[in-house]
Amino acid sequence: MWQKLSLRARLNTLLALVMVLGLVINVSRLFLEAGPRVTAEDQSVVRLARGFVETLVSDLNEASDPEARLDQIVEGLKQLRHVSITRERDPAAGRAASTPTPPSVSDEARQVPEWFVTLVHPEQTTVGVPIAVNGRSLGSLVITSHPTDEVAEIWDGIITQIEVGSAIAAALLLITMTVVNRALEPIKSIGDAMHSIAAGRYDTRVKSGGSPELAAICRTLNYLASVLEATAEDNRRLAVRVVSLQDVERKEIARDLHDEFGPYLFALRAHTASLARLADTPEPDLEALRKHVGSIADQVNALQQFNRRVLERLRPVGLAELGLADALGALMRLWRETHPGVVIETSISPALGAHGETAELTVYRVIQEALTNVFRHAHATRVDIAVEPATSRRSGAAGTEAIMVSVRDNGAGLPADHKQGFGMLGMRERVLALGGTMTVASTSHGVSVEALVPCGLPQSQTFQPS
């Protein structure tokens, strides 16, 4: 049952229990002190009454009528509260002792429960004070304690303590509940905001309030919502860029097919038509036949080279069959052939090994895109490429194997107003999708591209290479 209570109900319940426990302890202390207190009060009153009586009767020797004076003294002492004083005559005088008359009892005393009187259990104390005048005994004065009023006072104090303590506890509990409710009021707002954020409404914000701890939680939640909002916007822009990039790639492939395949196919068609006409002549010109056949062979060879270039753009040739190192070697040879004036130095660690097709394809594409940017914009004379194993640490996961890629050139660097193209943005998102990192640093001495590519996909994430 306790686990089902809210934090507010738990705090209020604990406060109520503490206050009730304090009141019970205080009242119990009064109950435990009641008996010793009554006994001490009873003995003190008897001592005081005895001293008072002895002082009064000390002057009887000088009285003309000691008997009458003694009766007068006894009558006056009947006004005392906690004791009764009676005269006990000498048995030889043949007169019985007067019956002690208890002092008047207040209404509060008569309202004391019997169980409380039994619990306190005061024992009546009786003390006799002998009286002698001029050697003649006049009996004794008997002092009898009556602690009823003291018991009533204690009982009244307990009742007052219960009433006042209960009122104070109720007031404190009400004040504390009000303070706790106001202090915990932001919790409901935080919960509602979390549900809104979980539903995709990242523009939700919580008003900071309550205790400093809850205010800090509100600020953190607002920051988290702003980060998620920015991330969602980045993903939306990325989706737009991906679609645009796909369109651009399709347009480039369509243009290449139109510009390259079209003329070659037209030339092949023209040569085959010429061959057909030559075949219909009675005496075909062999030299013309050889010329057309050679032209057809050249066109087919050109088509094959163009086909390899297109396939290389769509997917690296030999990456799955030969491995990353050999595929990169083939890529470097192609760039060296097309750009002989640029020195390309590669350093591929022999300990690299196989790390999965997705990671290796990502490494290949990062290097390919970096080199494309170098030869298009950097005007560099030297490019250094390094590929080596590394360790990647994802949030909440232990260290995993990764590949560190570094491409540096000695070009002029990126202009101040440079914006990354679709290719580099696509590479960055590809690396981030694998849980890695990618940085592009530009100085007046060149551009440095570094990427850390993990070799395993993050959990609950699927990445399809293009």
Side-chain angles (χ1 to χ4, degrees), residues 17-92:
L17 291 177
V18 169
M19 291 180 181
V20 171
L21 181 61
L23 183 60
V24 169
I25 291 175
N26 196 23
V27 172
S28 301
R29 180 183 61 82
L30 294 177
F31 272 99
L32 293 175
E33 294 176 354
R37 177 179 168 184
V38 171
T39 300
E41 183 70 17
D42 184 53
Q43 294 175 356
S44 176
V45 168
V46 170
R47 285 196 300 269
L48 290 175
R50 181 171 182 171
F52 184 60
V53 168
E54 290 176 348
T55 301
L56 291 178
V57 301
S58 61
D59 297 333
L60 290 179
N61 290 328
E62 300 176 0
S64 57
D65 188 358
E67 290 278 352
R69 177 59 181 162
L70 183 58
D71 290 336
Q72 184 180 2
I73 291 173
V74 172
E75 188 65 26
L77 292 176
K78 289 182 179 180
Q79 303 301 321
L80 296 178
R81 286 188 58 194
H82 299 293
V83 294
S84 62
I85 300 177
T86 57
R87 180 182 177 187
E88 185 177 308
R89 297 182 183 273
D90 190 355

Side-chain angles (χ1 to χ4, degrees), residues 174-375:
L174 181 61
I175 295 173
T176 306
M177 288 177 61
T178 303
V179 173
V180 169
N181 291 340
R182 290 186 178 180
L184 298 181
E185 188 175 355
I187 291 181
K188 185 177 183 302
S189 301
I190 293 174
D192 296 338
M194 287 182 174
H195 285 294
S196 298
I197 294 173
R201 295 187 290 273
Y202 302 127
D203 58 343
T204 303
R205 297 295 183 270
V206 182
K207 182 179 179 182
S208 297
S211 63
E213 293 81 1
L214 290 179
I217 293 176
C218 292
R219 291 192 296 270
T220 304
L221 182 62
N222 290 336
Y223 174 73
L224 175 62
S226 64
V227 172
L228 290 176
E229 185 178 15
T231 303
E233 181 63 21
D234 291 341
N235 290 336
R236 186 192 66 80
R237 289 195 296 267
L238 173 63
V240 174
R241 289 199 300 268
V242 169
V243 173
S244 301
L245 179 61
Q246 291 176 345
D247 291 338
V248 170
E249 289 180 344
R250 291 189 181 100
K251 289 179 181 178
E252 290 181 354
I253 293 175
R255 184 177 62 250
D256 290 342
L257 292 176
H258 178 272
D259 295 342
E260 298 285 345
F261 266 78
Y264 289 140
L265 292 176
F266 178 79
L268 287 174
R269 184 175 181 179
H271 286 300
T272 55
S274 298
L275 288 176
R277 286 194 302 271
L278 289 174
D280 292 337
T281 59
E283 295 181 0
D285 186 355
L286 296 180
E287 184 64 26
L289 287 175
R290 293 189 185 95
K291 181 179 179 180
H292 287 298
V293 170
S295 297
I296 290 174
D298 292 338
Q299 299 296 328
V300 171
N301 184 52
L303 283 175
Q304 288 178 339
Q305 293 180 359
F306 175 74
N307 183 59
R308 281 197 296 269
R309 289 198 301 270
V310 172
L311 292 177
E312 180 69 22
R313 288 173 54 187
L314 295 177
R315 183 152 185 94
V317 178
L319 179 61
E321 296 81 4
L322 303 177
L324 179 61
D326 292 338
L328 289 176
L331 179 64
M332 296 306 108
R333 286 193 297 271
L334 177 63
W335 283 112
R336 289 189 182 100
E337 292 174 358
T338 55
H339 297 82
V342 179
V343 177
I344 302 177
E345 293 292 338
T346 60
S347 175
I348 301 177
S349 174
L352 194 61
H355 294 283
E357 184 179 359
T358 301
E360 292 180 353
L361 179 60
T362 301
V363 171
Y364 185 92
R365 290 303 188 191
V366 169
I367 296 175
Q368 185 183 44
E369 184 62 32
L371 288 176
T372 300
N373 291 333
V374 168
F375 293 118

Side-chain angles (χ1 to χ4, degrees), residues 360-430:
E360 292 180 353
L361 179 60
T362 301
V363 171
Y364 185 92
R365 290 303 188 191
V366 169
I367 296 175
Q368 185 183 44
E369 184 62 32
L371 288 176
T372 300
N373 291 333
V374 168
F375 293 118
R376 281 183 180 177
H377 311 293
H379 307 292
T381 60
R382 181 183 178 88
V383 182
D384 294 302
I385 301 172
V387 182
E388 56 187 12
T391 300
S392 171
R393 282 198 172 272
R394 300 194 187 102
S395 178
T400 57
E401 291 186 357
I403 302 175
M404 173 61 73
V405 183
S406 174
V407 179
R408 293 182 174 87
D409 65 71
N410 63 348
L414 299 176
D417 57 347
H418 173 76
K419 294 183 179 179
Q420 290 187 7
F422 288 119
M424 191 58 67
L425 289 174
M427 290 303 100
R428 182 189 298 276
E429 297 301 333
R430 182 192 292 264

